Amino acid sequence: MHTVAVLALEQVIPFDLSTPIEVFSRTRLPDGRPGYQVRVCAEHDEVDAGVFALRAPWGLDGLPDADTIIVPGVTDPTAPLSPAVRDALRSAAADGTRIASICAGTFPLAATGLLDGLRVTTHWRAAGLLAALHPNVDADPDVLYVDNGQFLTSAGAAAGLDLCLHMIRRDYGSAVAADAARLSVMPLEREGGQAQFIIHDHDPAPQGSELEALLAWLRENLARDLTLADIAAQSGTSIRTLIRRFREQTGTTPLQWLHRARIRQAQHLLETTEHSVERIGGQVGFGSPTTFRDRFKRITGVSPQTYRRTFS
């Protein structure tokens, strides 16, 4: 039987801890036998899980013979990883054990060095911090999970379910995974990635910056067919100076900022109105429905219709 060891670190996030325990424990094979043996392991006898403390039945000695190790998220992803846990994970990896992380569990897993050079993911809010703390990993904030073969990482919260179901499908096939998905009241595959959940900041420039008034004007004129020349004229600068100031103060270009502002307004209209997709595209400044749909999917990862079904 496939053994899954769930590693409970200090300040483990209860949701991330319970997800693999529940999903793998409930998985049944076609003949009714359990697909997995699940064990909870920890470095110390008692683990602080925030709202409660837990006692893990297994110590780190439960990791070496596991087929899969899951590293759930922790409240403080910047907390140092203990040498004992680091060595246990590295040793398991050297033996070929599959290791997966959920949400901010990518941080302690990255701290082992096992993810260096790999594309990984974590909760979208923490992706920037992950890239800063672990520059040797390629942090992708847009996807629900990344499968690198031996090492897998998932985004935040419910994306842990997506990752667990993906691993079940790898281990036992689609039929067993589909049954596990039904027990979890979860689709086996979800459309899009994290991008549809990300709230893009419209105004990264600080108050009092040179661009403050211009950004306010842009927000008020999203429906207009604006060109770089129009924006430069409004700001009273040359196009070259406009682009330089935008990059310095917002980290992006004027048109990229405008596209994201338009898409965020479109998201709001899709969530709160019954206007047609074509009408909303025109309201936020896209000249054709096709252009709107293409740009919306490029930024959010899903179509406007799918976004509306999910969030309206």
Side-chain angles (χ1 to χ4, degrees):
M1 185 186 299
H2 191 116
T3 299
V4 175
V6 183
L7 178 58
L9 300 174
E10 283 299 306
Q11 288 292 311
V12 65
I13 297 172
F15 185 90
D16 295 348
L17 176 71
S18 64
T19 295
I21 294 173
E22 284 296 300
V23 175
F24 289 115
S25 294
R26 292 175 179 270
T27 300
R28 292 292 180 269
L29 303 183
D31 61 5
R33 291 181 297 116
Y36 299 91
Q37 178 188 60
V38 180
R39 60 177 65 154
V40 178
C41 305
E43 180 180 9
H44 304 295
D45 291 338
E46 187 170 284
V47 177
D48 180 4
V51 295
F52 58 85
L54 64 91
R55 287 187 172 275
W58 293 78
L60 296 181
D61 58 346
L63 301 181
D65 65 338
D67 299 290
T68 296
I69 296 173
I70 308 289
V71 184
V74 290
T75 302
D76 180 8
T78 66
L81 187 66
S82 80
V85 171
R86 180 198 61 210
D87 293 346
L89 290 173
R90 285 179 175 175
S91 177
D95 290 338
T97 303
R98 181 173 66 183
I99 305 177
S101 65
I102 293 176
C103 193
T106 305
F107 284 79
L109 186 53
T112 66
L114 294 171
L115 300 181
D116 286 0
L118 298 179
R119 175 171 165 258
V120 303
T121 194
T122 186
H123 193 290
W124 62 267
R125 283 188 180 274
L129 179 61
L130 178 66
L133 291 178
H134 303 286
N136 291 327
V137 306
D138 179 12
D140 186 342
D142 292 339
V143 295
L144 294 175
Y145 59 83
V146 177
D147 182 349
N148 286 295
Q150 184 181 7
F151 305 110
L152 304 91
T153 56
S154 87
L161 279 167
D162 295 283
L163 179 61
C164 290
L165 293 172
H166 170 72
M167 288 190 285
I168 294 170
R169 181 166 50 187
R170 267 184 48 176
D171 296 337
Y172 293 113
S174 295
V176 173
D179 184 61
R182 283 190 289 271
L183 288 172
S184 300
V185 196
M186 179 81 176
L188 184 54
E189 291 188 27
R190 286 195 286 165
E191 288 189 76
Q194 286 196 91
Q196 61 188 301
F197 302 102
I198 297 174
I199 300 174
H200 296 285
D201 190 352
H202 280 189
D203 191 1
Q207 288 189 346
S209 73
E210 294 176 87
L211 293 180
E212 185 179 0
L214 179 61
L215 296 180
W217 179 81
L218 285 171
R219 284 195 298 271
E220 294 170 358
N221 290 274
L222 294 178
R224 290 181 54 185
D225 182 16
L226 296 173
T227 65
L228 274 175
D230 296 329
I231 301 172
Q234 177 65 26
S235 67
T237 63
S238 67
I239 291 177
R240 177 177 295 181
T241 299
L242 173 72
I243 293 173
R244 176 175 56 79
R245 288 180 179 172
F246 250 84
R247 287 201 177 276
E248 290 174 349
Q249 298 181 41
T250 72
T252 188
T253 67
L255 291 182
Q256 287 173 338
W257 189 98
L258 182 61
H259 287 321
R260 288 193 176 275
R262 284 171 167 164
I263 294 304
R264 182 65 194 108
Q265 179 62 16
Q267 289 175 308
H268 173 71
L269 293 173
L270 288 166
E271 294 168 14
T272 59
T273 74
E274 296 182 358
H275 297 170
S276 68
V277 169
E278 291 75 13
R279 178 178 174 183
I280 289 175
Q283 285 178 295
V284 298
F286 289 96
S288 77
T290 300
T291 301
F292 170 54
R293 289 187 176 92
D294 289 347
R295 180 67 62 173
F296 192 96
K297 187 163 188 177
R298 190 182 309 172
I299 291 178
T300 69
V302 294
S303 68
Q305 293 92 336
T306 298
Y307 184 89
R308 168 170 272 168
R309 287 196 301 269
T310 304
F311 295 103
S312 64

